[in-house]
């Protein structure tokens, strides 16, 4: 199946100067937990099947990898890390790992966490630079240290000591978009007003590619917080989870989102289930979304209802003020020990207003997109 990056998706939709029809989009996955698919084609699944693996929509093409591990009787943490590693390695997904959009200084900084249900262990890294596979690094923190979280340059040095390859995580694409962001937001990082080049600067940066320019304009105006969470339960009922991200684009160096925070962007309890999140991490951190969702499931709520409870707390923090809530988007995802799953998005749309927010599910047959239940039944939310 053809994988569409979010970038290509935008370029296409913007190039058409109109939102593409749902039918045109069906079958193509955009990263960042946002689906390009028509509602008619999104099938509500049977609940309660094991083994089961789910992720944000940008992981659909990689879920087979995790399901193969689960079917062979492999460990659930190996399965979820295998899935997100595919997305971390993908230079066309500019929300995670290699090619992620950088911080305001042009450095890609990654956050990730893992939780292993059977042993109730956790590991995390935050604001780590130059190491592509942050999720595997978080797993290494869990397995090889007496710590739960390592951050910043300490995390990079730990990775090198553990044999991870150091590399520049900026692709040409993400570097140019960062330069365009600098040009738009700083008086200094662009030709002076006396320069005949000024008008043509964006065009020269992107070699006249109008689609690239349109995409750059979009992510400059609406900094994305793309991420991939992945959760699995195997045939025995063992559960693990991971979440990995390049975080908020153009962030202040050192900014850490919810993805590496155990109990916010990722949580698993082998007796109950697991939860993860995408979208504006700051809002999730304030409600400890991952832990809240698992505790709600422990009290008997379905994964969807448990996600809805966490989202209700986020909305309550803004007294239901849609204007303020409209400045961000947020998604919660959950599975329980029986193999039931669910997800809730704050707004109806995915990354584009025309698309239904959805998530990716594989319960043994094939990976597919399933609609999120929405808190507000209308489009909204920055990324
Ligand atoms: N949810 C990803 C972030 O806020 O960094």
């Amino acid at each position: 199946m053809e994988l569409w990056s979010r970038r290509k998706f935008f370029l296409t939709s913007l190039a058409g100067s109109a939102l593409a029809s749902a039918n045109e989009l069906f079958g193509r996955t955009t990263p960042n937990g946002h689906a390009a698919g028509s509602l008619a084609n999104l099938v509500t699944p049977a609940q309660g099947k094991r083994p089961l693996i789910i992720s944000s929509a940008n992981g659909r093409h990689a879920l087979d990898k995790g399901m193969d591990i689960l079917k062979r009787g492999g460990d659930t943490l190996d399965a979820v890390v295998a899935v997100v590693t595919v997305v971390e390695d993908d230079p066309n997904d500019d929300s995670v790992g290699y090619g992620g959009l950088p911080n305001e200084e042009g450095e890609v900084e990654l956050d990730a966490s893992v939780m292993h249900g059977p042993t109730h262990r956790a590991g995390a890294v935050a604001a780590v630079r130059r190491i592509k596979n942050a999720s595997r690094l978080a797993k290494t923190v869990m397995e090889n240290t007496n710590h739960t979280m390592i951050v910043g340059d300490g995390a990079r040095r730990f990775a090198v000591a553990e044999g991870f390859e150091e590399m520049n995580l900026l692709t040409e694409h993400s570097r140019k978009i960062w330069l365009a962001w600098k040009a738009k937001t700083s008086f200094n990082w662009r030709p002076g007003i006396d320069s005949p080049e000024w008008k043509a600067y964006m065009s020269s940066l992107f070699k006249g590619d109008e689609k690239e320019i349109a995409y750059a304009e979009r992510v400059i105006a609406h900094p994305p917080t793309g991420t991939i969470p992945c959760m699995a339960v195997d045939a025995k009922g063992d559960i693990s989870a991971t979440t990995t991200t390049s975080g908020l684009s153009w962030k202040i160096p050192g900014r850490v989102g919810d993805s590496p925070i155990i109990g916010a962007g990722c949580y698993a309890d082998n007796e109950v289930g697991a939860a993860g999140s995408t979208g504006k991490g700051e809002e999730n951190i304030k409600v400890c979304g991952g832990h809240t969702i698992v505790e709600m499931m422990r009290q008997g709520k379905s994964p969807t209802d448990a996600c809805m409870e966490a989202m209700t707390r986020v909305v309550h923090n803004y007294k239901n003020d849609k204007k303020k809530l409209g400045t961000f988007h947020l998604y919660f995802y959950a599975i329980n020990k029986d193999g039931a799953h669910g997800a809730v998005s704050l707004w109806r749309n995915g990354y584009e207003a025309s698309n239904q927010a959805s998530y990716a599910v594989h319960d043994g047959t094939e990976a597919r997109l399933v609609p999120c239940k929405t808190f507000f039944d209308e489009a909204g939310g920055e990324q």
Side-chain angles (χ1 to χ4, degrees):
M1 179 174 295
E2 181 187 7
L3 164 66
W4 267 36
S5 70
R6 179 176 64 201
R7 174 177 152 218
K8 287 181 196 156
F9 167 66
F10 268 116
L11 300 185
T12 300
S13 29
L14 289 166
S17 72
L19 297 172
S21 76
N23 280 343
E24 282 168 341
L25 295 171
F26 175 64
R28 296 161 181 165
T29 304
T30 61
N32 195 26
H34 311 287
S38 77
L39 259 180
N41 289 313
L42 296 171
V43 180
T44 301
Q47 297 279 296
K49 234 177 136 189
R50 293 194 320 219
L52 167 81
I53 189 161
I54 76 166
S55 75
S56 46
N58 52 332
R60 178 176 61 172
H61 64 292
L63 287 185
D64 273 339
K65 225 174 178 139
M67 182 50 72
D68 286 348
I69 293 172
L70 296 177
K71 282 184 173 170
R72 290 199 309 269
D75 188 79
T76 45
L77 187 54
D78 289 338
V80 294
V81 170
V83 169
V84 302
T85 297
V86 173
V87 184
E88 287 174 336
D89 287 346
D90 180 358
N92 288 320
D93 188 317
D94 61 16
S95 67
V96 177
Y98 179 53
L101 292 175
N103 67 20
E104 63 182 22
E105 291 175 353
E107 279 278 355
V108 180
E109 283 185 347
L110 305 179
D111 299 336
S113 59
V114 298
M115 258 194 113
H116 187 237
T119 54
H120 205 74
R121 287 183 301 165
V125 291
V128 61
R129 299 179 176 186
R130 301 184 64 79
I131 305 294
K132 183 175 56 163
N133 298 120
S135 173
R136 192 159 56 82
L137 184 57
K139 183 169 180 278
T140 308
V141 170
M142 182 191 87
E143 288 171 341
N144 293 359
T145 78
N146 195 24
H147 305 321
T148 309
M149 179 184 268
I150 305 180
V151 307
D153 200 53
R156 182 194 61 78
R157 295 202 306 271
F158 168 73
V160 171
E162 288 287 343
F164 284 73
E165 183 195 350
E166 251 195 285
M167 62 184 284
N168 178 8
L169 299 180
L170 265 191
T171 55
E172 267 305 278
H173 166 71
S174 50
R175 185 185 66 81
K176 283 185 176 176
I177 293 184
W178 170 67
L179 280 180
W181 175 78
K182 294 282 279 183
K184 287 271 177 188
T185 56
S186 158
F187 190 69
N188 299 321
W189 281 72
R190 53 178 150 155
I193 51 168
D194 55 348
S195 167
E197 304 305 319
W198 166 233
K199 261 193 167 162
Y201 179 67
M202 284 289 276
S203 187
S204 68
L205 190 60
F206 293 102
K207 296 193 168 50
D209 187 332
E210 292 298 325
K211 295 174 187 173
E212 285 278 330
I213 293 170
Y215 179 72
E217 302 269 8
R218 169 66 190 242
V219 295
I220 289 165
H222 306 287
T225 49
T227 300
I228 176 168
C230 186
M231 289 136 264
V233 54
D234 67 13
K236 304 193 299 283
D238 282 338
I239 298 164
S240 289
T242 183
T243 301
T244 179
T245 188
S246 54
L248 176 67
S249 315
W250 333 128
K251 61 193 170 187
I252 295 173
R255 177 266 186 188
V256 171
D258 59 329
S259 303
I261 308 296
I262 299 296
C266 177
Y267 196 70
D269 185 317
N270 218 45
E271 313 263 295
V272 180
S277 177
T278 59
K280 191 181 174 201
E282 284 79 358
E283 306 305 334
N284 179 22
I285 289 171
K286 289 186 283 185
V287 299
C288 301
H291 187 260
T292 296
I293 291 165
V294 170
E295 289 309 304
M296 289 299 127
M297 291 194 290
R298 193 191 308 280
Q299 289 174 24
K301 282 195 193 296
S302 69
T304 306
D305 289 348
C307 290
M308 191 55 85
E309 170 62 29
M311 197 63 85
T312 301
R313 294 180 188 197
V314 173
V315 172
H316 182 75
N317 281 346
Y318 290 96
K319 298 186 172 55
N320 213 27
D321 182 335
K322 281 193 186 172
K323 205 166 167 203
K324 288 182 178 167
L325 291 160
T327 63
F328 64 89
H329 209 334
L330 190 64
Y331 302 70
F332 290 120
Y333 312 82
I335 61 170
N336 71 16
K337 196 169 174 68
D338 297 329
H341 55 87
V344 168
S345 64
L346 180 57
W347 300 99
R348 188 200 68 228
N349 53 297
Y351 197 53
E352 273 292 331
S354 62
N355 297 326
Q356 165 75 50
S358 66
Y359 64 111
V361 176
H362 198 323
D363 57 11
T365 319
E366 64 171 346
R368 63 197 184 281
L369 294 180
V370 173
C372 297
K373 188 159 184 178
T374 61
F375 191 93
F376 292 122
D377 194 26
E378 60 204 74
E382 308 272 341
Q383 296 302 311

